[in-house]
Amino acid sequence: MDFTFTEEQQAAVEAARAVFSGVAPDSVPSPALTPGAVADDFDRALWHKLGDADLLSLPIAPEHGGAGLDAIALCLVLRESAKVLARVPLLESGAAALTLQRYATDELCAEVLPRIGTGDLVVTVAAHGRTGHEPADLAVAAQQEGTEWVLNGVQTAVPWARTADRILLPAHTPDGQAVLALVPRIHPGVTFDDQISTSGEPHAEVRLDSVRISDRETITDPAAWESLRNLLTTGTCALALGLGTRVLAMTSDYTSKREQFGYPVATFQAVACQAADRFIDLRAMEATLWQAAWRLTTEADGPLPLAGDIAVAKIWASEGVRRVVQTAQHLHGGFGADTDYPLHRYHAWAKQLELSLGPAAAHEESLGELLAAHQLS
């Protein structure tokens, strides 16, 4: 098997590293010291740099001004963004672009994709449902009336909802089919209640009261919501991998300089063993992420459906990122809780990612059900 990324994918990584090299994780107030959101908006300056570097248009087809790359390339850039805690809706925008490109009408694609690629149109995604503990498409009801759809319901924890231009959200029809609607932020019947994420970023509860959306802004293909959800999940695993990679590097640097009894603590067996265990976690997170991203991109057959590979990736990402950050805090001693040092920010982001992915035990149960239904030869 060849695990080498293509030249185009590697070029995307290099471009991302160049843009993110100037990003400081502590450019906004600490979430530990801020009663509300750390900032009212995402990092607009960084967003424009990503647009100028053609990184926002990576997954968009050439006919709409993009590079025509895939979900793997998006995950590679997301991995780099998490290393510096980049405060941009890169995951939501990329997942929305890939989904719209595949399932939306040609007219809607021609209208929105070029602007998404340049960063002029910011799209976020509502994917957590009413409470975060139920299928997101069941949180909003969609009723077709002539050439329009009428939406009623609530979506919680929508990132950057107050500052994005459009919100791509799932809903369900009376016969239980899932649809996607691209809802303008400023639209009759759309209201917001502020929420704050664990990482200190502004989210919002989005309420839809008889919101009317045209046919052209609605995707009725039942596969569209599942595809979007898989893209968001795989991208979140990529963020967890990038964050964990950076945290382990910080831990290695600190323990190699911090001395005890006249020796760097990194030379102590107990410290080295813990760091080695976390290195293994990261390698497992990496392998399972790229397996899921590859299946998602190629739609290749496997012994289990795609949901099985995504469940495995979620298990490792959710558990792995938590263990990496906990070990980092332990090996840093009290220094890890110092708000003048960025590790506590990575801890908050890791917890947010873990909560977004959900508990590993639930994914293990889903994986068990798939294994029971698909006997492996």
Side-chain angles (χ1 to χ4, degrees):
M1 298 180 67
D2 185 2
F3 293 97
T4 306
F5 296 111
T6 66
E7 290 184 5
E8 292 82 1
Q9 291 165 348
Q10 293 176 9
V13 173
E14 294 303 319
R17 286 175 178 169
V19 173
F20 293 130
S21 63
V23 177
D26 54 358
S27 60
V28 292
S30 165
L33 304 176
T34 308
V38 295
D40 294 331
D41 197 1
F42 58 85
D43 190 338
R44 292 278 178 174
L46 176 58
W47 188 249
H48 292 311
K49 289 180 181 178
L50 290 169
D52 293 341
D54 296 327
L55 289 169
L56 299 181
S57 62
L58 281 181
I60 296 174
E63 58 263 32
H64 298 301
L69 298 186
D70 51 27
I72 295 175
L74 174 62
C75 287
L76 284 166
V77 176
L78 288 169
R79 181 190 64 181
E80 299 305 313
S81 74
K83 293 179 181 179
V84 296
L85 305 184
R87 303 179 50 259
V88 287
L90 186 58
L91 169 60
E92 294 79 14
S93 176
L98 281 167
T99 303
L100 290 167
Q101 183 168 261
R102 181 171 183 180
Y103 296 102
T105 63
D106 293 340
E107 182 184 7
L108 183 59
C109 287
E111 176 188 338
V112 301
L113 289 180
R115 296 177 62 207
I116 291 175
T118 59
D120 295 325
L121 181 71
V122 181
V123 179
T124 189
V125 178
H128 298 293
R130 186 176 60 87
T131 64
H133 299 288
E134 59 188 3
D137 56 304
L138 299 183
V140 176
Q143 177 72 50
Q144 190 170 19
E145 294 184 1
T147 60
E148 293 182 321
W149 288 82
V150 181
L151 307 176
N152 287 280
V154 177
Q155 291 281 354
T156 193
V158 182
W160 320 109
R162 282 193 179 276
T163 52
D165 300 303
R166 300 283 191 97
I167 303 170
L168 186 62
L169 58 87
H172 68 280
T173 63
D175 59 357
Q177 295 296 315
V179 298
L180 291 177
L182 189 60
V183 180
R185 171 174 54 87
I186 301 175
H187 196 75
V190 178
T191 57
F192 304 93
D193 288 323
D194 290 335
Q195 296 175 319
I196 309 299
S197 72
T198 302
S199 56
E201 303 299 343
H203 286 194
E205 182 181 79
V206 179
R207 295 183 174 273
L208 302 104
D209 184 12
S210 298
V211 173
R212 292 185 173 271
I213 300 295
S214 66
D215 264 341
R216 58 185 295 274
E217 296 172 302
T218 307
I219 301 172
T220 57
D221 190 320
W225 164 232
E226 182 179 1
S227 177
L228 176 60
R229 183 176 56 197
N230 289 338
L231 284 165
L232 290 169
T233 302
T234 307
T236 304
C237 292
L239 292 173
L241 175 62
L243 186 148
T245 300
R246 177 57 184 149
V247 166
L248 187 61
M250 292 170 63
T251 305
S252 176
D253 182 66
Y254 177 79
T255 56
S256 65
K257 296 176 181 178
R258 174 74 166 90
E259 292 191 357
Q260 190 72 21
F261 309 113
Y263 297 94
V265 296
T267 62
F268 298 168
Q269 186 178 27
V271 173
C273 287
Q274 291 183 67
D277 286 341
R278 301 296 78 81
F279 178 83
I280 293 170
D281 278 336
L282 288 174
R283 296 293 70 78
M285 291 167 64
E286 185 175 35
T288 54
L289 162 65
W290 299 128
Q291 169 70 9
W294 175 76
R295 286 284 307 274
L296 182 61
T297 298
T298 63
E299 298 183 344
D301 292 331
L304 291 177
L306 171 61
D309 291 288
I310 290 180
V312 174
K314 287 195 291 186
I315 290 167
W316 278 104
S318 178
E319 287 284 288
V321 74
R322 175 180 57 79
R323 287 195 293 255
V324 168
V325 175
Q326 284 182 343
T327 297
Q329 288 283 14
H330 176 62
L331 297 183
H332 273 81
F335 200 45
D338 189 339
T339 55
D340 291 328
Y341 185 67
L343 181 58
H344 78 285
R345 296 175 183 268
Y346 285 89
H347 198 157
W349 276 62
K351 180 54 67 174
Q352 176 66 34
L353 292 174
E354 183 187 356
L355 292 171
S356 298
L357 288 166
H363 308 319
E364 290 167 353
E365 183 176 351
S366 298
L367 181 61
E369 291 173 353
L370 285 170
L371 287 168
H374 299 81
Q375 186 173 358
L376 303 181
S377 56

